[in-house]
Every structure is written in structure tokens, then in C-alpha cells.
Amino acid sequence: MRVLLIEDDQILVDRLLPRLQAAGYAVDVTASGQDGTWLGNQENYDLAILDLGLPDAEGLDVLRAWRARGRQMPVLILTGRDSWQEKIQGFSAGADDYLAKPFYSEELLARMQALIRRRYGLLPGSLCLGLLELDENTQEVLIEGRRESLTGQEFRLLRYFMLNPGRILSKNQLIEKIYDTGAEADSNTLEVFIARLRQKIGKEAIQTRRGQGYCLVKPE
């Protein structure tokens, strides 16, 4: 899952970033409303976390610009403004959720998970596909009663596969979802992660479609 965080409070960013990464998110960060507008229009994010009080733009203007361009990723607003009138303005501009500062990181993560599940039409609980079950809290996979621990990259990769079962995903799509913008990535590294996942969930679970990418099939 790839997330865009637009926040100019560096102390808050320093607190949130490791928590988000530990939860399995690839995170791009900017303090600029203009840069955030551009990134949200150019990149395929699963969710955006948007502060309203930015130094160079109003957060609601950033949100309106995204929606005007047809960008539909869920947007969670972070702000010190918590009056009901301002919340209505945020929802009217196209926000999906609203979290007032100060807040606990655990609540933010829970709200993010709820928004992503809603986007993919999933019910609360573990992510399941046939005999395959992904525990998003422990970042472990359960297959036929056997529990396997996952590295951070393996967890990100398997979660994206399980959110898109039966769909052919290109190498570029997969790399985009498991790495943030500043990370170095290549297709050879991706193939290593896929090989490791196959060892843990079954060699036939992730199929290679030559010239197209990879596809997760329902384990029987």
C-alpha cells in the first residue's frame, strides 16, 4: 500500500513515518501543498493523509484540486481545526475521514485500514483468500494452519496481491506499491521477494504471466 502524507509539522512527521512504515505502508512525504497537489495527481496512491494548515496552500484547495481531476483515492484530513462547521467543509470538499489533532497513532492506523478496506469492498478482520489468511496486525500469513512470518516488503507485496486476487499486476505496479519515491528498487529485487513468498504460501499461488506480470490465484 502506498500513502501520501502532506504535513508541515516535522515533529509529527518524525513520529508518524516509522509507525506507518512499520504497519506496511510505503510513504511519500511533503510539507508543500503545491507539491502534494502534483503528487496526488501524478501517482497512484491508495490513501492520502492531508493537513489543512499548510504553509503555501490551504489543504482543502489541494483536496478540491484532486477531486476536480477525478482523483478518487481516500483522503483522511489531519488538522487542529475541529469545529463541526470545518468538518462539514472538509467532507463537502471530498474528504473521507477527519481526525483532529492531537491524536493517537493507533487511531490513525485504524482509520486508514478502515478506509482502505472500504475502497476494496472488504469486511473488518483478517484478509482472507481461500486457505490463505493475512494477519495485518502481526504481519504473518496463515496457510493450511501453518503460520509464517513476513518481512516488511513481503507483507506489503502479499497484501497488495490479496487485495487484487486473480488480477494480473505488472512489475511496475508492484514496485510502485511496495516502495516509496526515495527508495531504490528494481525488478530483480521484486523477483526475490516473489520467490520468498512462493516458498511460504506455495509455488503455484503466484503465477508468472510472461510479458504481463504476476497473478495471485486462490489457494485450494
Side-chain angles (χ1 to χ4, degrees), residues 56-87:
D56 61 341
E58 272 294 317
L60 288 184
D61 290 337
V62 174
L63 177 54
R64 292 188 185 103
W66 287 340
R67 297 310 190 216
R69 287 283 297 272
R71 306 300 287 174
Q72 296 300 314
M73 70 279 195
V75 176
L76 192 160
I77 287 178
L78 292 183
T79 182
R81 311 171 191 175
D82 60 353
S83 71
W84 66 269
Q85 295 97 333
E86 288 166 328
K87 288 183 179 180

Side-chain angles (χ1 to χ4, degrees), residues 128-132 143 165-166 204-207 215-220:
C128 298
L129 180 68
L131 299 176
L132 196 64
I143 177 74
E204 303 302 322
I206 301 176
Q207 297 182 351
C215 178
L216 176 67
V217 298
K218 184 176 179 180
E220 301 294 347

Side-chain angles (χ1 to χ4, degrees), residues 69-207:
R69 287 283 297 272
R71 306 300 287 174
Q72 296 300 314
M73 70 279 195
V75 176
L76 192 160
I77 287 178
L78 292 183
T79 182
R81 311 171 191 175
D82 60 353
S83 71
W84 66 269
Q85 295 97 333
E86 288 166 328
K87 288 183 179 180
I88 289 175
Q89 289 178 349
F91 287 125
S92 298
D96 296 274
D97 202 355
Y98 200 110
L99 186 58
K101 301 175 183 178
F103 58 87
Y104 290 101
S105 301
E106 290 78 6
E107 181 179 3
L108 173 65
L109 290 169
R111 288 174 181 263
M112 291 171 61
Q113 189 175 82
L115 289 174
I116 290 173
R117 286 185 172 277
R118 188 187 310 164
R119 181 183 188 187
Y120 285 94
L122 300 172
L123 296 174
S126 298
L127 191 56
C128 298
L129 180 68
L131 299 176
L132 196 64
E133 181 178 345
L134 183 65
D135 189 323
E136 296 180 279
N137 293 317
T138 63
Q139 296 189 13
E140 295 175 319
V141 61
L142 188 67
I143 177 74
E144 297 181 342
R146 173 172 49 87
R147 187 175 291 272
E148 294 278 359
S149 297
L150 301 172
T151 66
Q153 298 290 31
E154 290 168 356
F155 171 72
R156 293 181 188 180
L157 186 59
L158 182 56
R159 179 169 58 180
Y160 190 60
F161 271 125
M162 292 183 69
L163 289 171
N164 296 275
R167 179 183 170 192
I168 298 174
L169 302 171
S170 69
K171 289 183 178 181
N172 286 340
Q173 283 178 298
L174 294 170
I175 288 172
E176 180 183 84
K177 293 300 180 180
I178 64 175
Y179 292 103
D180 56 45
T181 300
E184 293 185 7
D186 59 51
S187 60
N188 291 331
T189 304
L190 175 65
E191 290 172 1
V192 170
F193 292 139
I194 289 176
R196 291 177 182 172
L197 282 179
R198 283 172 170 157
Q199 291 177 350
K200 295 179 178 181
I201 67 174
K203 294 181 179 179
E204 303 302 322
I206 301 176
Q207 297 182 351

